[in-house]
Amino acid sequence: AEPLGLEIHAQAFGFTADNEVNDMTFYNYKIINRSTLPLSETYVGQWVDADLGNYLDDYVGCDVNLGLGFCYNGDAEDEGGNGYGFNPPAIGVDFYQGPLADPNDAIDNDRDGVIDEPGEQIIMSKFVYYNNQNGTVDGNPDGGTDIYNYLRGIWLDNQPMTFGGDGRGGNGGTNTECNFMFPGTSDDAFAGQEWTELTAGNTPDDRRFLQSAGPFTLQPGAVNEITTGVVWARAKSGGQTASVQLLKIYDREAQALFNNNFNILNGPDAPDVTIRELDEELIFTLSNGSTSNNKNESYSEKDP
């Protein structure tokens, strides 16, 4: 496609930790429209080719309320030399900070029950999968039009994705248009209806997926900041679906970490130690100085 005139600053970061935060990575993007024209009907998409262990037997799905897209194994064992074996993990990607919505667009873009609040962000508004195949209507995109269609939830033959089955009306699917592929029961537009790759009986394959946020208008000189995160989780028992449930728990922790400005708990300061030397005796005195966050043993900090 033709260049859009965007300037993009990207920063990847993570944390060394002794818990699940150690298996998370975060990506911050600052997007600036350096052209002289506004970009209307703009979508920002996070493209993911998870290749989870043995990449030929993967499923994908999403949780609409969390804004989470994820990949998991198609059966209880991830076979092969590159596979994880039994109880394989799941990996997910989330928009922790989405692009700014257009003012007064009458859409609840962050799905918090409030429409058009100041500084409203757009969280995941489409979730689309496709296969690593060329020349098919549900395969790899070829050119700007195909990519833009996927960002809007449209297959390569211009058919909108539909709820159930394979997203095209097959495998027992419907002809009702939808925004999210394989949302489980998290899509409020289809309350009480479950749709996963498992329930549809799809054949596992080399899946790719797109999470997009839009549409919005990017004016000349406008700056939008977006933060995404990748979360990994592996349950010790319960098969591949147990890892998906654990992944959702970790994703909530990651969102809380982002909301807390990545302020990881440091714990109480170590006490000051003074040593008094006597005859064949040492007296150690522990104290918390005036600058200690644990002075008078009053340290307290809430884990977000």
Side-chain angles (χ1 to χ4, degrees):
E2 292 296 318
L4 297 177
L6 298 180
E7 177 180 326
I8 302 176
H9 305 185
Q11 180 186 42
F13 57 99
F15 301 94
T16 299
D18 59 1
N19 58 14
E20 56 273 10
V21 176
N22 194 67
D23 296 321
M24 301 176 184
T25 51
F26 301 92
Y27 306 86
N28 175 262
Y29 304 94
K30 182 180 290 184
I31 301 173
I32 309 169
N33 184 4
R34 294 297 191 193
S35 72
T36 58
L37 297 173
L39 295 174
S40 62
E41 299 292 316
T42 306
Y43 289 80
V44 172
Q46 174 66 57
W47 179 86
V48 182
D49 180 15
D51 285 345
L52 188 65
N54 174 13
Y55 65 95
L56 294 174
D57 65 347
D58 290 343
Y59 276 162
V60 298
C62 70
D63 188 299
V64 177
N65 296 318
L66 292 177
L68 173 71
F70 53 82
C71 176
Y72 61 106
N73 207 60
D75 54 31
E77 181 184 5
D78 191 25
E79 302 89 352
N82 292 324
Y84 283 97
F86 288 100
N87 296 306
I91 192 167
V93 179
D94 197 339
F95 274 105
Y96 297 119
Q97 178 185 16
L100 294 174
D102 290 348
N104 304 315
D105 64 359
I107 300 173
D108 184 12
N109 292 282
D110 53 8
R111 289 193 288 277
D112 64 351
V114 181
I115 296 176
D116 292 337
E117 66 262 42
E120 184 180 25
Q121 298 176 8
I122 307 175
I123 61 174
M124 183 180 73
S125 50
K126 301 284 185 182
F127 178 85
V128 181
Y129 91 97
Y130 66 89
N131 293 312
N132 182 17
Q133 299 172 349
N134 295 320
T136 63
V137 296
D138 60 352
N140 294 313
D142 182 17
T145 299
D146 286 352
I147 293 171
Y148 189 58
N149 276 346
Y150 271 154
L151 288 169
R152 297 183 297 151
I154 300 174
W155 297 109
L156 302 186
D157 60 354
N158 293 316
Q159 174 181 319
M161 62 184 185
T162 55
F163 188 85
D166 59 1
R168 294 181 52 81
N171 289 9
T174 70
N175 293 320
T176 305
E177 294 184 21
C178 65
N179 293 320
F180 307 100
M181 302 283 294
F182 313 125
T185 57
S186 67
D187 190 347
D188 292 338
F190 300 89
Q193 301 182 57
E194 183 178 13
W195 180 28
T196 69
E197 295 226 58
L198 277 171
T199 59
N202 293 343
T203 302
D205 207 332
D206 183 8
R207 297 278 197 268
R208 282 92 187 274
F209 67 81
L210 265 170
Q211 297 157 275
S212 65
F216 62 96
T217 303
L218 195 60
Q219 298 289 347
V223 179
N224 247 307
E225 194 163 346
I226 294 159
T227 303
T228 64
V230 178
V231 180
W232 184 93
R234 186 177 191 179
K236 295 181 180 179
S237 62
Q240 76 276 32
T241 55
S243 292
V244 172
Q245 297 307 312
L246 184 61
L247 180 78
K248 294 180 180 182
I249 294 173
Y250 289 173
D251 180 60
R252 291 185 179 94
E253 293 182 11
Q255 181 70 63
L257 187 63
F258 173 82
N259 294 344
N260 200 42
N261 200 28
F262 295 102
N263 181 23
I264 295 180
L265 302 184
N266 294 316
D269 292 339
D272 298 321
V273 181
T274 57
I275 304 174
R276 182 184 178 190
E277 299 183 19
L278 302 176
D279 182 27
E280 298 183 356
E281 183 179 8
L282 296 174
I283 298 177
F284 292 80
T285 302
L286 305 180
S287 62
N288 293 307
S290 59
T291 61
S292 172
N293 69 4
N294 198 26
K295 182 174 174 57
N296 300 323
E297 298 182 356
S298 61
Y299 174 81
S300 177
E301 188 168 352
K302 182 180 179 182
D303 187 335

